[in-house]
Amino acid sequence: MTKLDESSIIKVFQRRLGNKNFVSEDVEVFSFGKTKIIAKTDTLVESTDIPPKMKLEDAARKSIVACVSDFAAKGIKPQYGIISVNFPSNISHTKIEDAAKGFRKACKEFKISILGGDTNAGREIVFNVCLFRISNDIVLRRGAKNKDLIFATGPFGYTAAGLSILLHKKKGKREFVKKAVKSVLRPKPRVDFGVRNKKYFSSSMDSSDGLSTTLNEMSKQSKKRFVITNSPHKKDLEDFARSQKLNQDKLVFHGGEEYEFLFTINSKYKKTILKNAKLLKTPIIEIGYVTTGKGVVLQRNNKEIPLKDHGWKHFR
Amino acid sequence: MTKLDESSIIKVFQRRLGNKNFVSEDVEVFSFGKTKIIAKTDTLVESTDIPPKMKLEDAARKSIVACVSDFAAKGIKPQYGIISVNFPSNISHTKIEDAAKGFRKACKEFKISILGGDTNAGREIVFNVCLFRISNDIVLRRGAKNKDLIFATGPFGYTAAGLSILLHKKKGKREFVKKAVKSVLRPKPRVDFGVRNKKYFSSSMDSSDGLSTTLNEMSKQSKKRFVITNSPHKKDLEDFARSQKLNQDKLVFHGGEEYEFLFTINSKYKKTILKNAKLLKTPIIEIGYVTTGKGVVLQRNNKEIPLKDHGWKHFR
């Protein structure tokens, strides 16, 4: 039996449901008359998404963050939420309190009103969050134009490093370990930056499936070639990769779960974007440019290496 | 460690989220300006909700039915849906096709447009469905008045009987077994009857947590006493209960998963309701009346027996 990856499952659902939009945008948009509702659902599964040492309070928050981050990438803030939880029947009261506490705090942090939800018994913990708001105006994944600049909020690589520390007992300098583990346990979506700057974006996408996956999806949907000239990472990540014998590009481009986002802009907005990023204390990094053609390439030493979609996938 | 039941988990979430409405109505209602959105989420978990012999196609349909039934009880039809699925990583391609087929057919059956969703890896199959529509007008669980009549769409008991056949190898007459098993595998929510008659309902509630749970919740929220004079079952259920040495009241009142609904009406609407039910081929049964006081009682041989909330719960 061949193992199925997520994209082949998505293809089955797209074909069967006759809906090419199944998972083709960061958020779902639906209209009732003139009213457009933006919705996003995300599921966090114990065996796949909760690393050791992660408290249920943080896991609950992260399941909210995953949706908030998709909204942020589209330039909007969610307003309402519905939460479904599955718990094994032998779970302790304390753990349920922790989970509920995490949801409450996250809703306060991101100003979301929880409307309701449902509770279920299951073999493992599953949190399913669905967030909503009304908006007429979202930035799409497609829309990048020739000569647009490609930016990332960032930096990247800490999450993959953090997971390698939590799951595979990799070692690093104390400050680095703290930063990397925090990026896994308490990710910070860039909501304010997204909301205040969306008018400059020609396209944008949440990066949580991995930088290479995100770039390839944006390139494909925009029908443009994305040339990456700059890897959005810091020096401390290079040191960690070298000392732990890990592939640095893999950490930066194929890790995933960063909850940063990518966006493209006309170069005339570059100054404004950089100023706004400074004001909002959101680190942003120019990583390349858009041109005619297709695919994503990494430019290094005057050579172009194809950057394939090897981001983080379920079912691997 | 004491086992937690669903209501104690709901209490923790209500307290922590400061939201008394967490699971206090069949559907969630949220407003953006003057627009009211009705939403409902439901989760179907393999280990808890998929009995042996149930195909994934039927399980997918049932996860849609569970939400549709809540809408039906409130007198509305859903219009849009978002689907989240978890699959174990070793699942076969055929099973994924079956699930997707089930979702497609159910969406066609109930005229729902699927907007999107997400796919995840997990230890077991989980289907999470969230359905939506705009509506300014839903019937609430509270609102029953003195002297109102209590009705149920029905009959009840087949589902519990069907589960006892599927799970505990109980035996019955061929026709009965077919009917009972079908009520588990292919439940039919009473959408048309709900939509066309809601204007007559003073209160209503989906019965899928069990008849006793539903009656107690409606009585509590309406602050009235519900007197049940008539058990909504048929003769063939009595025969099955007797032959299999099962408690008939337990099958009828405490089974659950019927996807029928209960409603109360002013007696002046009785004729109209009965006529409409006949036209729509929806069997409805008058089961009692509303009076001052609290709680739910079963009237038998001129005696009143308290009918406690012993409906179907997760975590039992």
Side-chain angles (χ1 to χ4, degrees), chain A residues 156-173 176-184 233-234 236-244 246-248 250-258:
Chain A
F156 279 72
Y158 291 122
T159 315
L163 281 171
S164 76
I165 292 163
L166 289 169
L167 298 175
H168 309 301
K169 310 229 161 101
K170 294 289 175 186
K171 308 271 180 221
K173 287 188 182 154
F176 179 85
V177 168
K178 216 173 133 184
K179 209 195 262 185
V181 168
K182 198 178 168 191
S183 80
V184 175
H233 69 270
K234 288 195 165 174
D236 56 359
L237 189 88
E238 288 182 20
D239 298 341
F240 171 78
R242 202 181 313 111
S243 77
Q244 296 301 303
L246 290 170
N247 183 315
Q248 177 193 306
K250 211 173 155 183
L251 295 175
V252 174
F253 288 99
H254 309 311
E257 288 207 47
E258 271 96 356

Side-chain angles (χ1 to χ4, degrees), chain B residues 263-275:
Chain B
F263 58 95
T264 57
I265 56 161
N266 187 302
S267 59
K268 70 182 171 194
Y269 298 131
K270 183 170 164 177
K271 248 191 192 165
T272 317
I273 287 285
L274 288 172
K275 198 183 73 186

Side-chain angles (χ1 to χ4, degrees), chain B residues 25 74 138-151 198 200-205 214-228 262-267 269 287-296:
Chain B
E25 251 305 335
K74 307 283 104 174
I138 65 162
V139 186
L140 299 177
R141 289 178 178 178
R142 63 174 184 270
K145 305 275 180 299
N146 277 349
K147 298 186 190 169
D148 274 358
L149 304 179
I150 306 166
F151 274 85
K198 70 168 166 183
Y200 306 112
F201 302 166
S202 52
S203 69
S204 64
M205 182 174 167
T214 309
L215 287 166
N216 274 280
E217 183 67 21
M218 289 173 81
S219 148
K220 199 175 118 194
Q221 288 210 21
S222 294
K223 291 178 181 139
K224 298 287 171 199
R225 186 172 182 82
F226 277 42
V227 182
I228 306 308
L262 296 186
F263 58 95
T264 57
I265 56 161
N266 187 302
S267 59
Y269 298 131
I287 62 169
Y289 61 89
V290 178
T291 184
T292 44
K294 56 182 186 176
V296 182

Side-chain angles (χ1 to χ4, degrees), chain A residues 1 4 6 15-16 19 31-32 37 48 80 90 96-97 104 114 119-121 123-124 132 134, chain B residues 1 4 6 15-16 19 31-32 37 48 80 90 96-97 104 114 119 121 123-124 132 134 315:
Chain A
M1 205 150 58
L4 287 159
E6 193 170 355
R15 179 167 44 76
R16 286 279 180 193
N19 180 353
S31 306
F32 295 101
I37 318 279
T48 320
Y80 293 107
N90 63 354
I96 290 176
E97 293 276 356
R104 190 201 52 198
I114 292 300
T119 61
N120 307 278
R123 285 207 189 107
E124 63 180 329
F132 309 93
I134 273 193
Chain B
M1 204 152 58
L4 287 159
E6 193 169 356
R15 179 165 44 76
R16 287 279 180 194
N19 179 354
S31 307
F32 294 101
I37 318 279
T48 320
Y80 293 107
N90 63 353
I96 290 176
E97 293 276 355
R104 189 201 53 196
I114 291 301
T119 60
R123 284 205 192 108
E124 62 180 329
F132 309 93
I134 274 193
F315 298 95

Side-chain angles (χ1 to χ4, degrees), chain B residues 1-17:
Chain B
M1 204 152 58
T2 43
K3 274 214 177 183
L4 287 159
D5 70 8
E6 193 169 356
S7 64
S8 66
I9 293 179
I10 290 173
K11 271 176 204 149
V12 171
F13 272 75
Q14 285 178 334
R15 179 165 44 76
R16 287 279 180 194
L17 296 174

